[in-house]
Amino acid sequence: MNFKKIALGVVALTSIVTLAACGSSSSKDSLAKIKDKGTLTVALSPDYAPFEFQMLKDGKNEIVGSDVDLAKEIGKALGVKVNIQAMDFNNVLASVTSGKADIAISGISSDPDRAKAYDFSDSYYTANNVIVVKKEHQDKFATIADFKGKKVAAQKGSVQEKVATEQVKDASLVSLIKTGQAINELKNGTVEGVVLEEPIGKSYIAANSDLALSDVKLDSSDTDSYCVAMPKKSDKLKKEIDAVIKKLKAKDAINKSVEKNFELAQAAK
């Protein structure tokens, strides 16, 4: 009987030590975890030229863009390698929650709901919202009222999906996984417009002469500012990332990166 008590005591003590070790690991802050493994894993959706897109480089498919440039600058500041993980946009934030990615940089805007689940960096870029239409229908869709009873597409899980719902109220929303799908639906005549951020809309228009920007003016508030998303309680990591963003913005490096990648995206098409 005494032997059993001793054995049970050893098991209990082992369990406590194991739990303590697990607790110690899980409580380690995001910055320390990244530096310990020597890699910054970044989630993004590479269908947002000029921010993130795919192109052939030296015969190999490579993900490039201004968000990738930003990720590399953050990795350099932290002294770690950068590992880019491509996925659909509606999985980008979920990958941060699950721990598959350390941060997400994918034209992500902070809003009150997202801020409950994630920490966000200072804004690194602000874009206006626009509606892309067929060029031949540009005059036909000059006001929000013109979209009444029509179908308007937006990317699933994006701020633009919310903008379409709240600002183009009398239209029917079509939510699609990829931006490219929405553009194809527009070209095929399945939808009459696509709500996008202006740089992305212009990128698609530059590659498709049959598309144009509608004259519709959508409200573009601070919620359309791009930020880096990270797990909650990432105070130290946020401080480091904010410092990188501040440094780049002071040199106008992010705007220059967007312009450079816009030209690169057109050359790649």
Side-chain angles (χ1 to χ4, degrees):
M1 190 69 178
N2 288 337
F3 176 77
K4 285 184 178 179
K5 286 182 179 179
I6 292 170
L8 288 171
V10 170
V11 171
L13 181 60
T14 303
S15 299
I16 291 169
V17 171
T18 302
L19 288 171
C22 291
S24 173
S25 174
S26 63
S27 65
K28 187 177 289 186
D29 66 79
S30 301
L31 180 60
K33 289 179 183 178
I34 292 165
K35 289 195 171 183
D36 281 353
K37 65 181 180 176
T39 304
L40 176 70
T41 302
V42 182
L44 53 74
S45 176
D47 61 345
Y48 257 55
F51 297 96
E52 45 261 335
F53 57 99
Q54 299 183 62
M55 67 173 291
L56 281 175
K57 201 170 183 179
D58 299 325
K60 294 181 180 179
N61 194 43
E62 187 174 335
I63 298 173
V64 296
S66 55
D67 280 353
V68 177
D69 292 344
L70 174 57
K72 289 178 179 178
E73 288 295 329
I74 293 171
K76 189 188 299 183
L78 300 182
V80 298
K81 294 180 180 179
V82 174
N83 174 29
I84 300 295
Q85 290 291 318
M87 60 194 72
D88 290 337
F89 184 77
N90 59 329
N91 291 325
V92 168
L93 286 174
S95 71
V96 176
T97 302
S98 67
K100 291 181 180 178
D102 299 307
I103 61 174
I105 311 179
S106 196
I108 300 169
S109 301
S110 172
D111 62 30
D113 288 334
R114 286 175 175 173
K116 292 175 184 176
Y118 306 94
D119 280 351
F120 287 93
S121 71
D122 292 342
S123 166
Y124 63 86
Y125 190 88
T126 301
N128 294 321
N129 290 307
V130 297
I131 302 179
V132 176
V133 297
K134 280 190 173 181
K135 194 170 187 177
E136 62 184 292
H137 296 157
Q138 192 173 16
D139 294 337
K140 182 180 175 182
F141 296 106
T143 69
I144 289 179
D146 294 332
F147 286 96
K148 184 176 181 179
K150 306 297 183 182
K151 291 182 179 179
V152 173
Q155 187 173 35
K156 188 176 181 63
S158 69
V159 166
Q160 284 62 48
E161 186 180 40
K162 186 176 180 181
V163 169
T165 302
E166 294 181 350
Q167 297 189 43
V168 197
K169 296 179 181 179
D170 294 327
S172 297
L173 174 66
V174 178
S175 297
L176 297 166
I177 298 296
K178 294 184 179 293
T179 304
Q181 288 178 303
I183 293 295
N184 286 336
E185 293 297 294
L186 174 62
K187 289 170 72 69
N188 293 335
T190 308
V191 302
E192 301 293 348
V194 181
V195 180
L196 293 168
E197 297 97 323
E198 189 172 11
I200 295 157
K202 286 182 174 179
S203 181
Y204 277 107
I205 289 168
N208 297 273
S209 59
D210 57 335
L211 302 181
L213 288 183
S214 164
D215 290 331
V216 170
K217 301 298 181 185
L218 295 174
D219 177 46
S220 298
S221 62
D222 289 341
T223 58
D224 301 307
S225 295
Y226 297 165
C227 306
V228 178
M230 61 201 90
K232 269 295 187 185
K233 298 181 180 179
S234 297
D235 296 354
K236 293 180 181 178
L237 178 59
K238 173 177 164 53
K239 185 177 180 180
E240 293 280 352
I241 293 175
D242 285 346
V244 172
I245 291 171
K246 184 177 181 180
K247 180 180 176 182
L248 293 175
K249 289 177 78 171
K251 300 187 295 183
D252 199 33
I254 293 177
N255 285 330
K256 289 176 181 176
S257 175
V258 171
E259 291 171 6
K260 176 198 76 175
N261 283 287
F262 181 88
E263 293 174 3
L264 185 64
Q266 305 322 306
K269 292 178 179 178

